[in-house]
Amino acid sequence: AAAGLYASTHPPVPLPADPGLSFVPHIFSRLPLGSAPPHSPPCLLDAATAASLSRADLRRLVSSLARGLRRAHNVRAGSVVLLVLPNSVAFPVAFLAVLAAGGVATTMNPSSSRAEIAERLRDTAPSLVLASPENAAKLPPSAAPVVLVPETFNPTPSAGHEFAPFRALLDSDADDFPSAEVGQEDAAAVLYSSGTSGRSKGVVLTHRNLIAMVELFVRFEASQYARPACDNVYLAALPMFHVYGLSLFAAGLLSLGSTVVVMRRFDVGEAVRAVHRYKVTHLPLVPPIMAALLRAKATGASSLDSLVQVSSGAAPLSGKLVQDFIKAFPHVDFIQGYGMTESTAVGTRGFNTSKHKKYASVGLLAPNMHAKIVDLETGLCLPPGSCGELWLHGPAIMKGYLNDEDTCTRNDGWLRTGDLAYFDSDGCLYIVGRLKDTIKYKGFQIAPADLEAVLVQHPEIVDVAVTSAEDEEAGEIPVAFVVRRSGSRLTCVQVMEYVAKQVSPYKKVRKVIFVEAIPKSAAGKVLRRLLKDSLRIDAAA
Ligand code: 4UW
C-alpha cells in the first residue's frame, strides 16, 4: 500500500456489478420473506400501538405505492419528492416507494419552520411533497402537490378522509415494482449537510451509494455477531430523516429481516418501556440519549436485560460517559461508530466483541473503504499515531453536492471529512476534533452560515458570526456574536426570539454575545476559531 494510505483491515465485500441495478430491487432480493405469520418476525412495528408490518406487507406496500406515485404523479427517473415526515412505520414505505418509482427522495426534519421548508422547495424543486398533516400546514400555497401520509396503515374510523388520496395510491395490489428506469449511478436521495463550510447543501447519494451502505455497513455489522440478523430487534429512537436513522431503520435493516420498532419521537421513559415490551436487542444512539438512559437507570429504571448491543455516533462521546455506561450495563456490547451524510453513513465501527476493547475509538474502517490522514500544514499523508484531517474514499462516498456535483471528483474521489483524527497501529480510528464549521446539537448538524443568514436580516444587526460552545447536555450549542447598529438597545433575548421564530427548534441560538466587531482575516473571512477560543477562556474564568 502507498505510504499513509489506510485500507480497511476487513476482507473486501463483493458489491453487485450490474449497472442497471437499483436500490429497492436490490434490498428486496436480499430480504428473506420468511415463513408465514405469525412465525416470521415483523419487519416494522409501531412502538406505541404494536401495529406491525410483515416483510411481505412491506414489499406489497412499497410496490403498490411506487406504482401509484408513477400513475398519479408521474414520479419517474429524476423526479424529486420531498418527505417532511416524522418517524412512523409509513416513513420507510414512502422513502422506498419514491426510489422504486425511479424518483429521488429528499428528507428534512419534521420540526422545520415554514421558511426552512420554503427554502428546501426552492433548492430541490420537488414535483411532489409527502407530508404529515402538521407539516402540510407549513407549506406555501403555490408549492408542489402534497399528499398527506398517515402514521399507520391500519385505517380506523377516526382516521379521516384527509388520507384518502394516499390510500388511493396504494390501490394497485401489485407485488412487482414499476419497470426500472434508473441504475446504480443515478441519484436516489438528497440529504442535507453543511459540508466543511457555508450553508447547508444537498448531498446527492446514488443507488450505488445506498447499496454500498447496506452491504458495507448494515449487513456487515450484523454479520459480526454469532446470531442471525432476523433475531435482532432494533429500537428506532433516532429520526429517519437523518442519515444515521435513515440508513438503518428506513433502508438497511429492512433488507436483513431484523425487526425495527419505531418510536414516533424520542422519550426516555417510553424507550425503556419499548425495550422491555419488544425485547429490543440493538439500540443505536447519540451521546445525549445515552446520558438520558443512564440517568433513567440511576433513578431505578431496569437493567434492560434484552439488550445485546448499544452503539453511539454522530457526535463526540466523553470518556466518563462511556465508563459510566459500561458499568451500568455490563451485559451490553458497547461500540462507537463514525459516519457522515456525505459517506452514506459508512465510515468506521467498533467491534468490541473481540478481546481488544477500545471504547474511545470509533472503530475500524468499513470494508472496501480507504482513508488517509492529511497533515494540515504540509498536506502529507501521516502514519499511525499522527493526527491530521481524515479523508475517505470508496463506494459509499457521495456523488457530490447538489449543483456542485464534482466536489469529490476534484479530489480524485476523496472526501475531505473536516474531522481531525488519527489511526492507531491496529487500524482503529480516533476522532480528536472538528476542523469544519458544523455545530452538532444532540448529534444534529447546524450550519453556522444558515443562522448568520437569518440574523443579518434583522434591521438592528450590522454584523454577526455564529459558532458553538460546549454544552453538558447537548454536546454543543450555537452561540451568536452580534454587532448592533449604533444606538440599538436590542437584547440577547430579543435576538434569540427573532431566530427561534424562523428556524427549527433544534437550531435555536442559545447564547448571544454583543461585540464591537467580528474578527476577520485580511481576506474578510470570519475567524471562528478565535471566537470559539474566547468562549473557552470565558468558561475557564
Ligand atoms: N465521534 C465524533 C463520532 C462521530 C462524530 C460522527 O450529520 P452527519 O453528516 O452524519 C452523522 C452520521 C453518524 C453515524 C452514521 C452511521 C453510524 O453507524 C454511526 O455510528 C454509530 C454514526 O452524524 O455528521 C457527520 C459528522 O459528525 C461527527 C463528525 O464531525 C462527522 O464529520 N461525528 N460520528 N462517533 N464525531
Side-chain angles (χ1 to χ4, degrees):
L5 184 68
Y6 298 87
S8 173
T9 51
H10 299 300
V13 168
L15 293 176
D18 174 10
L21 185 67
S22 60
F23 182 63
V24 175
H26 173 72
I27 61 169
F28 281 99
S29 75
R30 303 277 268 152
L31 175 74
L33 279 178
S35 47
H39 305 294
S40 68
C43 201
L44 285 158
L45 196 151
D46 182 296
T49 64
S52 68
L53 299 180
S54 69
R55 288 179 249 305
D57 293 336
L58 177 71
R59 192 190 160 107
R60 188 176 33 76
L61 285 165
V62 170
S63 53
S64 53
L65 182 59
R67 285 175 176 274
L69 291 172
R70 235 330 135 86
R71 186 184 65 237
H73 296 281
N74 199 30
V75 174
R76 45 183 64 246
S79 313
V80 175
V81 179
L82 171 62
L83 272 53
V84 204
L85 299 170
N87 276 12
S88 74
V89 296
F91 188 118
V93 173
F95 175 74
L96 295 174
V98 170
L99 270 58
V104 180
T106 182
T107 60
M108 75 187 296
N109 192 321
S111 75
S112 296
S113 68
R114 283 167 190 271
E116 287 163 338
I117 294 175
E119 191 166 314
R120 179 65 69 86
L121 289 167
R122 280 194 297 277
D123 208 33
T124 59
S127 56
L128 180 69
V129 181
L130 297 177
S132 56
E134 324 80 81
N135 279 296
K138 295 186 225 159
L139 290 163
S142 60
V146 184
V147 174
L148 298 183
V149 178
E151 290 190 354
T152 163
F153 291 97
N154 307 34
T156 57
S158 62
H161 59 271
E162 55 184 348
F163 300 119
F166 180 81
R167 289 201 202 96
L169 293 177
L170 292 169
D171 261 1
S172 62
D173 200 10
D175 256 343
D176 49 340
F177 304 112
S179 61
E181 291 184 340
V182 291
Q184 294 212 42
E185 293 310 317
D186 292 301
V190 179
L191 309 184
Y192 274 67
S193 161
S194 58
T196 50
S197 65
R199 303 287 305 266
S200 61
K201 38 198 162 275
V203 171
V204 181
L205 302 175
T206 63
H207 287 265
R208 175 177 144 85
N209 291 151
L210 293 176
I211 291 169
M213 175 274 288
V214 170
E215 301 303 324
L216 308 179
F217 159 39
V218 186
R219 183 181 306 280
F220 179 76
E221 209 263 340
S223 72
Q224 302 299 307
Y225 287 86
R227 47 183 286 132
C230 59
D231 289 350
N232 293 344
V233 180
Y234 283 75
L235 185 64
L238 304 174
M240 297 182 187
F241 75 86
H242 179 254
V243 76
Y244 187 2
L246 186 83
S247 61
L248 292 168
F249 313 131
L253 291 168
L254 307 176
S255 87
L256 261 54
S258 304
T259 299
V260 175
V261 177
V262 181
M263 291 192 75
R264 298 189 190 180
R265 50 200 67 76
F266 178 75
D267 172 273
V268 72
E270 276 168 37
V272 168
R273 278 191 292 281
V275 170
H276 280 290
R277 182 168 177 198
Y278 303 109
K279 305 211 167 11
V280 169
T281 58
H282 286 61
L283 203 46
L285 298 178
V286 291
I289 300 188
M290 276 184 66
L293 216 55
L294 205 56
R295 285 195 299 270
K297 163 101 198 220
T299 57
S302 46
S303 57
L304 307 181
D305 293 333
S306 60
L307 285 179
V308 172
Q309 186 210 57
V310 170
S311 47
S312 172
L317 187 61
S318 80
K320 176 164 187 331
L321 183 50
V322 177
Q323 289 312 318
D324 292 349
F325 194 87
I326 55 183
K327 221 178 282 159
F329 301 100
H331 66 288
V332 172
D333 181 30
F334 172 76
I335 62 151
Q336 287 202 61
Y338 165 89
M340 288 177 75
T341 307
E342 288 87 339
S343 70
T344 329
V346 178
T348 61
R349 301 282 298 178
F351 295 101
N352 285 332
T353 40
S354 71
K355 50 184 189 297
H356 304 290
K357 294 187 192 282
K358 297 184 181 180
Y359 295 112
S361 166
V362 295
L364 300 168
L365 263 182
N368 307 22
M369 298 295 288
H370 288 88
K372 53 189 183 182
I373 299 289
V374 179
D375 186 284
L376 302 184
E377 257 123 58
T378 63
L380 296 174
C381 293
L382 298 171
S386 302
C387 197
E389 184 181 8
L390 172 70
W391 294 39
L392 290 174
H393 195 280
I397 301 301
M398 65 170 177
K399 188 167 179 187
Y401 292 110
L402 194 64
N403 307 320
D404 182 17
E405 300 230 336
D406 49 355
T407 329
C408 294
T409 320
R410 282 197 296 274
N411 287 326
D412 288 328
W414 285 95
L415 170 73
R416 296 182 65 158
T417 66
D419 290 310
L420 197 59
Y422 70 91
F423 282 96
D424 69 14
S425 51
D426 294 329
C428 292
L429 184 70
Y430 296 79
I431 305 292
V432 173
R434 207 180 301 131
L435 299 160
K436 55 190 170 189
D437 297 341
T438 318
I439 300 167
K440 278 274 177 155
Y441 177 82
K442 299 189 174 175
F444 293 123
Q445 278 201 35
I446 303 170
D450 285 349
L451 291 175
E452 289 163 2
V454 170
L455 285 158
V456 292
Q457 298 295 322
H458 193 287
E460 292 183 51
I461 293 179
V462 286
D463 203 1
V464 62
V466 172
T467 183
S468 61
E470 280 170 29
D471 181 79
E472 175 90 27
E473 204 209 323
E476 292 172 354
I477 52 167
V479 180
F481 289 80
V482 171
V483 182
R484 279 175 292 193
R485 204 187 58 207
S486 75
S488 164
R489 295 178 164 209
L490 192 63
T491 65
C492 295
V493 172
Q494 285 170 333
V495 172
M496 288 193 273
E497 283 174 353
Y498 176 77
V499 177
K501 272 194 231 126
Q502 300 180 63
V503 301
S504 185
Y506 77 95
K507 281 193 201 161
K508 283 184 205 171
V509 166
R510 286 166 203 270
K511 186 171 181 177
V512 173
I513 296 167
F514 291 117
V515 288
E516 295 294 314
I518 302 294
K520 291 187 183 153
S521 71
K525 203 171 173 286
V526 174
L527 298 171
R528 280 181 223 277
R529 184 69 31 198
L530 222 64
L531 292 171
K532 215 175 185 154
D533 291 346
S534 76
L535 287 171
R536 273 203 208 100
I537 294 160
D538 274 1

